[in-house]
Amino acid sequence: MQELPFTKHLGVGKRTLGKKFFLSVYLANLFISLSYFVTAYVNSSFLSEHVPAASVGLLYAASSILSLLFLFFSSDILQEIKNRQLFLILSALALVSTLGLAISSTPE
């Protein structure tokens, strides 16, 4: 069997990635998606108080386009910054933005 390139760092030599590995990846993705869903729901509810509903959709569409651009240039960014450093930077950014939402007061 041919060795898969992404399995070298996992210590797996052949196509023998087990069900437990894929289950753990799917569960991790589920929890990450749920955290982003909750944050996006709160953001959209908060934004709809200050801008029209159509503008909220446009803001989310623009952020999706920016995310796709980031994904497109991610290999160049990873060559400049190592994986661990990028992970720490993006995790800190997500933490700061979530804490900012949690401690900000809403105008009444």
Side-chain angles (χ1 to χ4, degrees):
M1 288 189 150
Q2 184 179 11
E3 186 173 307
L4 296 174
F6 64 87
T7 59
K8 288 183 181 179
H9 69 281
L10 298 174
V12 179
K14 303 291 180 190
R15 294 179 188 235
T16 56
L17 291 176
K19 290 181 182 178
K20 289 183 181 181
F21 174 75
F22 285 112
L23 180 63
S24 64
V25 170
Y26 288 134
L27 287 176
N29 191 20
L30 173 71
F31 288 123
I32 290 170
S33 298
L34 286 176
S35 71
Y36 283 120
F37 166 74
V38 170
T39 305
Y41 179 74
V42 170
N43 284 342
S44 66
S45 299
F46 179 72
L47 284 174
S48 65
E49 294 177 3
H50 303 288
V51 294
S55 297
V56 172
L58 289 174
L59 285 172
Y60 277 97
S63 66
S64 296
I65 291 170
L66 287 174
S67 296
L68 287 174
L69 286 174
F70 177 76
L71 183 63
F72 181 72
F73 292 111
S74 63
S75 64
D76 296 333
I77 294 170
L78 284 175
Q79 288 177 357
E80 296 289 327
I81 304 174
K82 297 186 191 282
N83 285 338
R84 184 179 175 96
Q85 291 172 340
L86 182 64
F87 171 75
L88 292 175
I89 291 168
L90 293 178
S91 296
L93 184 63
L95 179 67
V96 167
S97 65
T98 305
L99 287 176
L101 285 173
I103 63 174
S104 67
S105 61
T106 57
E108 295 183 30

